[in-house]
Amino acid sequence: MTTCVDQGLRMELILASGESVPVPASLLYTSRDPFAVHIAFHVALGDPILWVFSRDLLARGLLRPSGRGDVRLWPTGAGRGAMLHLALSSPHGSAQLEAALPVVTRWLERTYQLVPPGREADGLDLEPELARLLYGTG
């Protein structure tokens, strides 16, 4: 049974000058973490830089400006040339990236085939997880 959906993705890092630099990235969704999407940015120096945020936030960001704080998304353009913009902020700095919106949309649709929207909690056994968090057991 398929438990994850992954996709290589070419993103562009937008510099302060307005120029862009290609950044290879990958999208990962797993049924073991059904509420989240994972993005890994593959930089030349060392391990990938990982970001995790809500699948619902990504879905909203494909349609309209969404998010506050550390992760903000918004679409621009239309059709095959449409872009998804992603602004990330951390104590170490901030970055603005963009990717082809149709590629991200197709990947998100594949995640919905694995775990339909609204069904994320169906496969989770929350009681042991809550006991571990609240009481340090499990």
Side-chain angles (χ1 to χ4, degrees), residues 6-13 21-28 38-51 86 88 97:
D6 60 353
Q7 168 78 46
L9 181 65
R10 178 190 162 120
M11 297 193 80
E12 297 285 330
L13 174 64
V21 176
V23 176
S26 55
L27 297 167
L28 176 67
H38 303 251
I39 299 180
F41 300 100
H42 305 284
V43 293
L45 305 172
D47 295 329
I49 298 169
L50 304 173
W51 279 78
L86 173 63
L88 303 173
L97 301 111

Side-chain angles (χ1 to χ4, degrees), residues 47-92:
D47 295 329
I49 298 169
L50 304 173
W51 279 78
V52 180
F53 56 92
S54 158
R55 181 170 73 160
D56 287 344
L57 174 60
L58 177 61
R60 286 190 309 272
L62 294 174
L63 303 173
R64 62 188 173 280
S66 300
R68 284 187 251 161
D70 296 349
V71 179
R72 294 180 295 115
L73 303 116
W74 66 96
T76 58
R80 294 178 64 178
M83 300 300 289
L84 174 65
H85 298 264
L86 173 63
L88 303 173
S89 178
S90 80
H92 305 290

